[in-house]
Amino acid sequence: MSRAPRRPGLPVSARLRLTLGYAAFLVVAGAAILVGVYVVVRFIPDYPLTSSDPSLSDVGITSRGEILSALVDVSLWVLAALAVIGLGGGWLLAGWVLRPLRRIDAAVRAVAAGGLDHRIRLEGPDDEFRRLADAFDHMLDRLQDAFAVQERFAANASHELRTPLAITATMLDVARGEPGHDPALIERLSRVNARAVDLTEALLRLADVDAVTAAARPLDLADPVGRAVEEAAEEARRRGVDLRSDLRAAPVTGDAELLLRLADNLVRNTLRHNIGEGWARVSVDRDRDGSAVLRTENTGATLSPESVARLTEPFLRGEGRTRRDGEGHGLGLALVSRVVDVHGGTLTLEARPGGGLLVTVVLPARPQSS
């Protein structure tokens, strides 16, 4: 699912905005009071003001204009002092008010990194922040329960689906040794059973990726991709596809097994969705921002942009819902898409003008150790 682009803007924190708001309110309130005082002083009769004590007859005479001028000067200093007090006090007050929000933000980041067992457990008055934290904790409880149920389902399905298929395969092997059997029928049934086994394994792998998050472990993306290319070399020779690779160091943080599955599916797709005497290219490199980039490109049938946009749908294959050679289950790119999402990367599929497909996987760079 594509995300809507965020509008660019200056990174201004909520604490700074609240501080400026507090300071502005304090200055405006002070200015309003001073304006009121100024208006009142304007109504003072405009005649010289002297002391009622005859002994202070040498005191200077003060007029209304002089009083107003002094009031304006004092007002400027008062407003400046209010601005400083508003900024300093507002910063401290905003930090105190937003302290629960920082705990919620830390919890969200921990959950985004895979820690579903993390809880906020915010204490204090029953205010908006407390209710938000409690709702978030309740949501995490529901999510953790749902993932646990899905993991148990995958484990149970693994046993329930594999066992009868294994029994069927054994019965077919026994039938081959029986006299009078139909070799063509036995071979066809064996292929159908093997295909069902492969489909079951693919479905379970896809369920496993949906149920768990990637293990955060430093690795080089070129390593699992190199293993996938080596394992696919024999199939490339058998199909007559010229498979070449250019693998350079690209450090990432992720799950080695999931990334191997990702690379294996992409490499196998370049071979199985190809043409006679075709070619396939696999490369790993680093982008300018340090992110790891995996690209696979191959010759093949001409694809429309509409069909390419749907290739990550489960059970959808490059030539539609069925394939003549009977290979594949339409789950390869769906699995690739899930693995990329789990690792916080992006997946791009593009149809080549001369036929075939260009697949680009971009994964975040490994954070630099401090």
Side-chain angles (χ1 to χ4, degrees):
M1 182 182 295
S2 61
R3 298 177 180 175
R6 298 180 61 182
R7 295 182 179 179
L10 295 176
V12 181
S13 66
R15 186 176 186 180
L16 179 58
R17 292 198 300 269
L18 286 175
T19 299
L20 295 177
Y22 294 151
F25 176 79
L26 191 59
V27 170
V28 170
I33 295 175
L34 292 174
V35 168
V37 173
Y38 184 86
V39 171
V40 171
V41 173
R42 291 279 297 180
F43 287 97
I44 296 177
D46 190 13
Y47 52 79
L49 302 177
T50 60
S51 175
S52 60
D53 189 353
S55 63
L56 300 177
S57 58
D58 58 341
V59 176
I61 299 174
T62 304
S63 65
R64 185 182 65 181
E66 292 174 336
I67 295 176
L68 292 177
S69 178
L71 180 61
V72 171
D73 293 339
V74 172
S75 298
L76 294 178
W77 286 104
V78 170
L79 291 178
L82 289 176
V84 173
I85 295 173
L87 290 174
W91 181 261
L92 297 176
L93 183 60
W96 176 72
V97 171
L98 295 177
R99 186 180 304 167
L101 192 60
R102 289 197 294 271
R103 288 187 56 183
I104 297 175
D105 176 71
V108 171
R109 293 180 183 275
V111 172
L116 288 179
D117 57 343
H118 187 86
R119 297 295 183 271
I120 302 174
R121 296 185 176 90
L122 188 64
E123 299 177 353
D126 188 16
D127 55 7
E128 290 82 355
F129 289 118
R130 173 74 176 274
R131 289 192 289 271
L132 176 62
D134 291 345
F136 187 78
D137 287 344
H138 179 67
M139 180 191 68
L140 289 180
D141 290 336
R142 298 285 301 274
L143 284 176
Q144 192 171 25
D145 292 343
F147 283 134
V149 170
Q150 192 170 7
E151 289 177 355
R152 289 195 297 269
F153 167 78
N156 294 333
S158 174
H159 175 74
E160 296 296 334
L161 294 177
R162 287 171 179 165
T163 301
L165 292 174
I167 294 174
T168 303
T170 303
M171 294 175 63
L172 290 173
D173 290 338
V174 173
R176 285 192 180 93
E178 295 292 332
H181 71 276
D182 186 346
L185 177 60
I186 296 296
E187 185 61 28
R188 184 175 181 181
L189 291 175
S190 297
R191 288 199 302 269
V192 172
N193 189 75
R195 179 175 172 79
V197 172
D198 293 341
L199 177 58
T200 301
E201 295 291 341
L203 285 171
L204 292 176
R205 287 196 300 269
L206 186 60
D208 288 340
V209 175
D210 285 335
V212 300
T213 55
R217 187 175 68 85
L219 57 92
D220 188 348
L221 182 60
D223 293 339
V225 176
R227 289 175 55 189
V229 172
E230 291 178 3
E231 294 174 1
E234 178 60 31
E235 182 177 350
R237 286 191 293 269
R238 188 174 70 251
R239 293 177 178 273
V241 177
D242 180 18
L243 175 61
R244 298 185 183 182
S245 61
D246 179 16
L247 309 180
R248 303 182 183 182
V252 296
T253 301
D255 188 296
E257 182 62 28
L258 291 183
L259 292 177
L260 177 59
R261 294 288 185 186
L262 177 147
D264 183 72
N265 278 282
L266 290 180
V267 174
R268 300 286 179 179
N269 276 348
T270 63
L271 304 179
R272 296 171 181 175
H273 299 275
N274 215 310
I275 58 177
E277 302 299 326
W279 53 263
R281 302 288 182 266
V282 181
S283 67
V284 174
D285 203 349
R286 297 179 65 180
D287 207 347
R288 292 182 178 179
D289 60 356
S291 56
V293 181
L294 164 62
R295 288 188 177 91
T296 62
E297 186 176 7
N298 67 320
T299 52
T302 303
L303 301 173
S304 65
E306 293 77 12
S307 61
V308 170
R310 300 175 56 207
L311 287 179
T312 55
E313 296 180 13
F315 301 109
L316 186 65
R317 304 173 182 88
E319 298 177 12
R321 293 281 172 178
T322 59
R323 280 191 58 194
R324 291 185 295 272
D325 56 12
E327 291 191 75
H329 313 94
L331 292 172
L333 288 178
L335 180 63
V336 168
S337 178
R338 285 295 305 134
V339 173
V340 171
D341 288 343
V342 164
H343 286 80
T346 59
L347 172 66
T348 305
L349 308 179
E350 301 177 48
R352 297 183 66 252
L357 189 66
L358 171 62
V359 181
T360 304
V361 174
V362 180
L363 300 180
R366 180 193 307 170
Q368 296 293 331
S369 59
S370 54

